[in-house]
Amino acid sequence: LAQMAAAVVAVRHHRMKNGYGIDPAPMSRADKSRLDAEWQEYQHRVKINKIIKQFDKNGTGKLEKDQVKELLTASDSSTPNGTPPSDEELDFIIKVADKAGDGAIDNRELEDAIAAWKTFTNNRADWEAKLEKYDKGGTGSLSKDEVKEYLKDLNGGIEVSDEEVDMVMKEADVSQSGTINKLELMNA
């Protein structure tokens, strides 16, 4: 119903903007701003649905793991063309975005998946360097003590409390491993 209303508003907005159709009553600035915002939201939803349709090879309306991998591969400009995400990266993106818990990404979850992937790919080199700097054990992830040093550095050399570290660990440790890997650094 909301999409149908948005479509009607969009058509009216388009007609008014292009000067054909019935002559509408004058609109206030607030009404025009509201209509413009509704139009932009409608266009955004159309774009999200087009992305789902492009990669949804089996017509379920959701992107399963292999389809998410194809989407992430196509949208990664930080690696050579056609380089797929690692299994760890793919699993992380799905876990972060999949609010329904069904192992797939639907149109309401796609934005979170794309935002997480773009954030990761845009900061990958920096996070790899941070991981290398603070991962004293060479495990590929940061322990609680290593996270504390990382946060101290982010905090301009000022110590952080154990409670603050616990809060960051709880929020960032999406894999619930008790450590923070390079992907989870975006949440730290």
Side-chain angles (χ1 to χ4, degrees):
L1 185 62
Q3 289 178 337
M4 191 188 255
V8 169
V9 168
V11 168
R12 284 184 183 161
H13 181 68
H14 180 73
R15 285 181 181 165
M16 290 184 312
K17 211 174 195 180
N18 293 316
Y20 58 90
I22 56 172
D23 197 17
M27 275 197 289
S28 70
R29 197 178 275 189
D31 287 339
K32 182 165 178 16
S33 292
R34 183 181 48 77
L35 283 175
D36 286 343
E38 288 173 3
W39 176 245
Q40 287 175 352
E41 176 62 22
Y42 172 75
Q43 288 177 315
H44 179 70
R45 288 282 143 223
V46 167
K47 182 178 175 183
I48 292 292
N49 287 332
K50 281 183 180 179
I51 293 170
I52 292 280
K53 196 172 210 165
Q54 177 183 354
F55 291 95
D56 179 20
K57 304 300 184 205
N58 57 359
T60 62
K62 298 179 179 184
L63 301 182
E64 284 82 24
K65 189 173 184 174
D66 61 323
Q67 297 162 345
V68 173
K69 186 174 191 173
E70 188 179 331
L71 168 66
L72 299 181
T73 301
S75 62
D76 182 4
S77 60
S78 69
T79 59
N81 198 19
T83 304
S86 69
D87 288 340
E88 178 187 28
E89 293 166 346
L90 178 60
D91 290 343
F92 177 80
I93 297 300
I94 291 173
K95 190 163 191 165
V96 165
D98 181 20
K99 305 300 183 226
D102 59 0
I105 303 297
D106 66 23
N107 61 352
R108 294 175 311 251
E109 300 164 333
L110 184 61
E111 247 179 294
D112 288 343
I114 291 172
W117 183 242
K118 291 291 183 193
T119 300
F120 173 69
T121 58
N122 290 339
N123 296 288
R124 181 189 323 237
D126 184 45
W127 287 331
E128 286 172 350
K130 297 278 190 221
L131 190 64
E132 188 176 317
K133 178 178 179 181
Y134 293 100
D135 181 17
K136 303 300 181 198
T139 61
S141 59
L142 302 180
S143 67
K144 183 177 176 179
D145 290 337
E146 293 165 336
V147 169
K148 188 170 187 169
E149 285 302 310
Y150 171 65
L151 294 175
K152 179 181 172 183
D153 191 27
L154 287 177
N155 202 26
I158 300 170
E159 289 289 334
V160 293
S161 70
D162 287 339
E163 292 80 24
E164 291 169 318
V165 175
D166 289 341
M167 180 191 71
V168 169
M169 292 290 293
K170 181 179 178 187
E171 194 67 32
D173 186 15
V174 174
S175 65
Q176 299 177 337
S177 63
T179 62
I180 304 295
N181 63 36
K182 86 176 162 191
L183 291 156
E184 293 168 331
L185 277 175
M186 79 170 87
N187 296 332

